[in-house]
Amino acid sequence: MIKQLLIATHNKAKLGELMMGIKKLSDQGIKILSLHDLYITEDPEETGKTFEENAVLKATYYARLTGIPTIADDGGLMIPYLNNEPGIKSKRWLGREASDEELINFTLYNLRGCARDDRTAFLQTALCFFDPITEKLITRQERIKGYIAEKQSGRPTLGYPYRALFVIEKWGKYYDELTEEEHHAISHRLKALRWIVEKIVKS
């Protein structure tokens, strides 16, 4: 069993979510570290053509940089009507400096006048675990189907702009409006993480 695990993200909201999902590992005595704990500010260039390729790229980069087994992810919003954009460009659709509000407004602008069927969307994630000592690599992808509302929610989550537009069909609620219990039940990132954690525990 590994003794340390690095969660490789600079996104505070995402880090909090991932930390919840790996409690099983911390309960077994594995020390969980963040990039902030290690004073790491740099990012690898995301040159992958898919979420999975970028997740692997980030996990292997930080694992080899630190010598610590690492979990990294990549994901975003896919809108079939827009040829699956923003896709892997979800964070960079308008450039890295764009605010959450700018991304929200740009999405709404691109879907102006669209009927409900054309507003179908998916939140997709890919997670990767990489151990630099054993070269063990595990990946998992999950996604949630919903649609893009015609206006944003009143409760946007900082760092997750598209959740303010994404409506979960099952409950007819914005992702931002889910209760903690509903979020844990449907979160694509937590589903992927739980699957990877089980693989780590059994290795």
Side-chain angles (χ1 to χ4, degrees):
M1 177 68 73
I2 61 175
K3 295 183 178 180
Q4 296 184 96
L5 179 67
L6 173 63
I7 305 301
T9 180
H10 294 294
N11 184 313
K12 292 182 179 179
K14 186 183 294 184
L15 176 62
E17 184 177 10
L18 292 172
M19 292 293 278
M20 285 191 303
I22 57 174
K23 187 175 185 300
K24 184 173 183 177
L25 295 182
S26 59
D27 287 346
Q28 294 189 13
I30 296 174
K31 185 176 182 179
I32 309 300
L33 300 166
S34 70
L35 295 177
H36 178 75
D37 293 330
L38 301 178
Y39 305 98
I40 296 172
T41 58
E42 63 262 37
D43 288 305
E45 185 177 358
E46 296 180 23
T47 56
K49 296 181 179 179
T50 65
F51 293 131
E52 184 176 46
E53 287 179 4
N54 278 333
V56 171
L57 185 155
K58 288 186 278 189
T60 54
Y61 172 85
Y62 289 113
R64 288 178 173 141
L65 177 68
T66 63
I68 300 170
T70 298
I71 285 179
D73 87 306
D74 195 55
L77 178 70
M78 300 178 70
I79 305 172
Y81 180 79
L82 300 179
N83 297 314
N84 287 327
E85 289 196 352
I88 61 171
K89 298 183 294 182
S90 291
K91 292 186 296 183
R92 308 181 302 278
W93 208 7
L94 295 174
R96 285 192 175 275
E97 302 307 314
S99 68
D100 286 2
E101 191 67 20
E102 287 172 326
L103 289 167
I104 288 169
N105 290 334
F106 188 64
T107 304
L108 291 174
Y109 175 80
N110 277 283
L111 292 174
R112 65 195 184 283
C114 286
R116 165 71 178 274
D117 288 348
D118 292 330
R119 306 179 82 89
T120 296
F122 298 91
L123 287 175
Q124 184 157 330
T125 190
L127 263 71
C128 177
F129 165 83
F130 180 71
D131 186 334
I133 305 301
T134 64
E135 296 285 313
K136 185 178 184 67
L137 187 148
I138 306 171
T139 63
R140 181 70 172 183
Q141 296 194 69
E142 295 284 352
R143 70 178 185 174
I144 306 170
K145 182 180 180 181
Y147 66 90
I148 302 300
E150 294 184 5
K151 62 179 181 179
Q152 66 173 294
S153 73
R155 302 172 57 188
T157 303
L158 184 63
Y160 288 116
Y162 303 113
R163 291 185 180 184
L165 297 174
F166 194 85
V167 176
I168 306 295
E169 290 180 319
K170 180 177 180 180
W171 293 301
K173 298 169 69 172
Y174 286 94
Y175 200 115
D176 282 327
E177 296 176 341
L178 298 181
T179 65
E180 185 173 347
E181 183 179 353
E182 289 169 341
H183 171 72
H184 286 177
I186 202 170
S187 171
H188 53 322
R189 186 173 291 108
L190 287 178
K191 285 182 181 179
L193 184 60
R194 292 183 193 114
W195 190 90
I196 284 180
V197 165
E198 286 303 314
K199 294 293 183 181
I200 295 173
V201 169
K202 293 177 181 177
S203 63

